[in-house]
Amino acid sequence: MEVRKIDAAQLQAMFIAGAQLLDEKKQMVNEMNVFPVPDGDTGTNMSLTILAAAKEVEAATKVDYSSIAKAAATGSLRGARGNSGVILSQLIRGFSKSITEATENGEEIDTVVLANAFQKGVDTAYKAVMKPKEGTILTVAREIAIKALEMSLETADMNVFIESVLQHGYETLNKTPDMLPVLKEAGVVDAGGQGLLCILEGAARVIIENLQIEIKKPTVAPNEAAFAALKNFNTEDITFGYCTEFIATKNQGSKYEEESFKAYLESIGDSIVVVSDEEYVKVHVHTDNPGLALQKALEFGALHNLKIENMREQHSSIFNEGEEASSEPKKDLGFVSIAAGSGIAEIMKSLGVDQVIEGGQTMNPSTEDILKAVKACHAEKVVVLPNNKNIILAAEQAAAIDEETKVFVLPTTTMPQGIAAMIAKDGHDGDVEELMEDMKEAVSGVQTAQITIAVRDTTLEGENIIDGEYLGMLEGRIVVHHKDLKVTFNELLKKMKEDAEVITVYYGEEITEEVAKDYQKDAEAIFEDADVELYHGNQPVYYFMISAE
């Protein structure tokens, strides 16, 4: 049956259906990550972003075009995580603005209105990215918009229009390896483009397949007595602070022994639930060291559906949301930093960071998380240190949204860069512009190396990398891979700048102090004229982070 218009209820269902399909397929998108490291999170970031939009859309009190479009834009902007999530939020923002403008002028959503909305989304997203690359989500979105305009001039039938646009989107996605050599070498298409098409495919089912989406409305008010009792709960009584959940897909030939695995989890936490079948192991554990649980699971499988929550912080934030704003006058300058690992967080705090957001690789904070941290600084001006290239756009989006605080984003890409920036603030009298320049100069002198582990076989820059090998990364590039951790450590150090005066080694949660001190001796032997400092960063994912200055 020919469909010529999309009504507001269908638009609402389309956002939700798109979010649901990407949520189902996010692990498939994650596995398209070019680098074989345990932080391929494009699918997760995009899924969390569109789910935030869908949540707002589902909760809309009025089901009209404008209300649904504005809810989607607001939810995605605040819920955006990672670069892929921010780009997606900008696509939704432009799309929603175009829909709102057209429908408030009395138009309904037909193929022409939809095509114009696609183009507005692309225009908005391109403005958010400083140096757009071909072969990415932006390329796929742009080609979809071009095809949409072409089809809107040929047909008014929404079914024909949507099917043609989707087909062209997948054709473009399949060409992305020809546009970006690193994709071709890794044998994958662009993950962001794939994520976008998952959303559009889910949305299309509402029209093409007449997919019915149940719209749930929140109806239950919290029990006041229970709420008050929970508020008085002492968070110090929480024995293990991080609620950790994930699913591990068993590797072929891996030796998974459930009782041994459970015993290990019991040695590092409580509230343990382990459910397994022939292919999957689903895990829930409360622990102070989530990375230990993840690392143990990596011995027998690949991880997905990761969720790590700080229960003490979560408990406190629930009851602080309704508190009145502080009556104390705002201070002049505050600092927000993202930190992966309790040791890194403590270093940041000791250097004067007001609010530390726990996150980094595999745990990108959302725009909303950053906004809350900025507000908690209670300062007129706030400097944000993302310390990860995949968090910079979310930080910049938070800065653009915040109307009460002047937010400055220093685009740090590693934890050591963030630490160097905070050290550079000493002695400043409050001139934030001058401070930013000094911080940038300090960051420019930092070289960062990291060691993690390969989670799959792949080929990169002509190197055949094997699942389970240790990977030495210098400024984000894999420069060493070896089955022995110490060999990887030493070879990586030899590739760092020879004239370094200070080498700082941050050892992760998998490394003991005794082992770390042994590695420190190796670093001292390689850099005979440099000071070699050792800190327990307690970071997940990376066995070592090393800076040379």
Side-chain angles (χ1 to χ4, degrees):
M1 185 178 71
E2 186 175 287
V3 178
R4 288 178 170 265
K5 309 285 183 183
I6 294 174
D7 62 32
Q10 287 173 315
L11 181 64
Q12 182 185 38
M14 289 171 79
F15 275 114
I16 296 168
Q20 289 176 347
L21 187 60
L22 179 56
D23 190 45
E24 291 172 14
K25 295 190 174 184
K26 62 179 179 286
Q27 182 56 24
M28 177 264 288
V29 177
N30 283 342
E31 289 170 359
M32 292 178 177
N33 186 40
V34 169
F35 291 99
V37 297
D39 59 6
D41 49 9
T42 298
T44 299
N45 284 338
M46 292 185 72
S47 176
L48 289 170
T49 300
I50 190 65
L51 283 171
K55 183 178 178 181
E56 291 295 318
V57 165
E58 190 171 39
T61 54
K62 291 177 65 179
V63 182
D64 56 46
Y65 289 128
S66 180
S67 298
I68 298 304
K70 288 177 180 177
T74 299
S76 64
L77 282 171
R78 289 183 170 270
R81 294 173 188 264
N83 291 346
S84 56
V86 172
I87 293 170
L88 175 60
S89 75
Q90 292 297 318
L91 288 168
I92 294 172
R93 179 188 179 196
F95 175 91
S96 297
K97 185 176 182 181
S98 182
I99 292 293
T100 299
E101 289 173 352
T103 55
E104 286 183 349
N105 286 330
E107 297 183 65
E108 294 180 287
I109 298 180
D110 56 15
T111 58
V112 174
V113 169
L114 205 53
N116 289 336
F118 280 140
Q119 186 59 55
K120 182 68 173 178
V122 170
D123 292 342
T124 304
Y126 263 90
K127 289 176 184 176
V129 179
M130 291 291 290
K131 295 179 181 178
K133 285 184 179 180
E134 286 300 302
T136 66
I137 181 175
L138 288 172
T139 305
V140 176
R142 187 190 67 226
E143 287 297 313
I144 285 171
I146 291 171
K147 187 66 175 181
L149 179 59
E150 175 191 319
M151 292 305 301
S152 71
L153 300 176
E154 294 183 11
T155 183
D157 186 342
M158 199 63 77
N159 288 314
V160 174
F161 173 87
I162 290 173
E163 287 177 351
S164 296
V165 168
L166 266 179
Q167 181 179 346
H168 185 69
Y170 277 109
E171 288 170 357
T172 302
L173 179 69
N174 289 332
K175 293 176 183 176
T176 55
D178 297 325
M179 304 176 200
L180 209 54
V182 70
L183 295 176
K184 177 170 279 188
E185 188 176 28
V188 295
V189 295
D190 179 65
Q194 179 65 75
L196 177 63
L197 284 165
C198 285
I199 294 168
L200 294 178
E201 185 181 327
R205 292 177 182 179
V206 174
I207 304 302
I208 296 173
E209 301 174 11
N210 195 28
L211 178 67
Q212 299 299 306
I213 299 294
E214 181 184 357
I215 310 297
K216 300 174 183 177
K217 298 290 183 181
T219 56
V220 181
N223 182 294
E224 292 184 8
F227 197 77
L230 282 171
K231 187 171 183 178
N232 292 326
F233 176 75
N234 185 356
T235 57
E236 292 181 1
D237 292 337
I238 298 174
T239 306
F240 296 101
Y242 295 91
C243 177
T244 305
E245 297 179 34
F246 59 89
I247 295 174
T249 305
K250 296 177 185 176
N251 293 331
Q252 189 172 6
S254 64
K255 294 181 180 179
Y256 170 69
E257 297 179 358
E258 186 159 308
E259 292 307 314
S260 174
F261 181 54
K262 284 182 178 178
Y264 178 77
L265 294 179
E266 286 171 357
S267 73
I268 63 168
D270 62 12
S271 299
I272 295 160
V273 178
V274 176
V275 179
S276 65
D277 60 17
E278 292 180 358
E279 295 183 30
Y280 301 102
V281 182
K282 187 169 184 179
V283 179
H284 173 280
V285 59
H286 292 175
T287 177
D288 280 333
N289 293 286
L292 294 179
L294 302 180
Q295 196 65 44
K296 191 68 175 176
L298 282 170
E299 293 178 5
F300 59 79
L303 306 184
H304 53 102
N305 288 27
L306 277 75
K307 185 173 76 171
I308 300 173
E309 294 178 340
N310 184 327
M311 295 186 293
R312 297 184 183 97
E313 188 178 89
Q314 190 178 43
H315 177 275
S316 299
S317 66
I318 290 170
F319 300 105
N320 288 337
E321 282 181 354
E323 300 288 336
E324 293 183 6
S326 171
S327 58
E328 293 292 321
K330 288 186 175 182
K331 63 180 182 178
D332 182 57
L333 184 61
F335 295 88
V336 170
S337 176
I338 284 75
S342 59
I344 301 293
E346 287 304 316
I347 292 170
M348 290 292 188
K349 289 174 185 176
S350 72
L351 293 172
V353 171
D354 298 281
Q355 296 292 320
V356 173
I357 305 173
E358 295 178 26
Q361 293 300 101
T362 75
M363 295 181 288
N364 294 160
S366 67
T367 298
E368 181 73 12
D369 293 332
I370 297 169
L371 283 168
K372 286 180 179 179
V374 167
K375 183 177 181 181
C377 285
H378 200 60
E380 297 289 346
K381 300 183 285 289
V382 172
V383 175
V384 178
L385 306 173
N387 303 332
N388 186 299
K389 68 179 182 180
N390 208 32
I391 300 174
I392 293 172
L393 281 182
E396 291 175 343
Q397 188 152 281
I401 292 173
D402 197 312
E403 297 178 351
E404 296 181 4
T405 309
K406 189 159 182 60
V407 179
F408 300 82
V409 178
L410 187 71
T412 49
T413 58
T414 67
M415 300 296 161
Q417 284 185 359
I419 290 169
M422 288 305 298
I423 292 172
K425 86 173 182 60
D426 286 346
H428 276 271
D429 58 5
D431 184 339
V432 71
E433 308 284 354
E434 183 182 324
L435 172 61
M436 289 291 286
E437 289 304 313
D438 285 351
M439 284 182 156
K440 286 176 185 176
E441 185 177 350
V443 166
S444 68
V446 177
Q447 187 183 44
T448 304
Q450 299 163 306
I451 298 178
T452 185
I453 194 167
V455 294
R456 59 180 169 83
D457 295 346
T458 192
T459 301
L460 275 178
E461 298 184 15
E463 293 289 322
N464 294 320
I465 294 168
I466 300 170
D467 183 6
E469 282 189 323
Y470 294 101
L471 306 177
M473 303 174 70
L474 186 60
E475 303 292 14
R477 288 185 61 243
I478 298 172
V479 296
V480 179
H481 59 98
H482 198 277
K483 62 182 180 180
D484 185 86
L485 179 57
K486 199 162 196 183
V487 170
T488 305
F489 180 86
N490 289 335
E491 290 302 312
L492 181 59
L493 283 179
K494 291 173 184 176
K495 293 181 181 292
M496 300 185 76
K497 53 186 181 182
E498 296 177 358
D499 60 348
E501 296 177 0
V502 180
I503 299 293
T504 308
V505 179
Y506 304 92
Y507 61 97
E509 60 187 7
E510 281 288 295
I511 305 297
T512 65
E513 184 179 5
E514 182 181 0
V515 169
K517 286 182 176 178
D518 182 46
Y519 278 65
Q520 182 184 19
K521 291 176 183 177
D522 284 9
E524 289 170 341
I526 293 169
F527 290 93
E528 294 179 353
D529 299 326
D531 292 327
V532 179
E533 300 177 353
L534 183 68
Y535 295 96
H536 187 200
N538 203 36
Q539 68 271 6
V541 180
Y542 296 105
Y543 299 96
F544 292 98
M545 291 193 299
I546 310 151
S547 68
E549 300 173 66

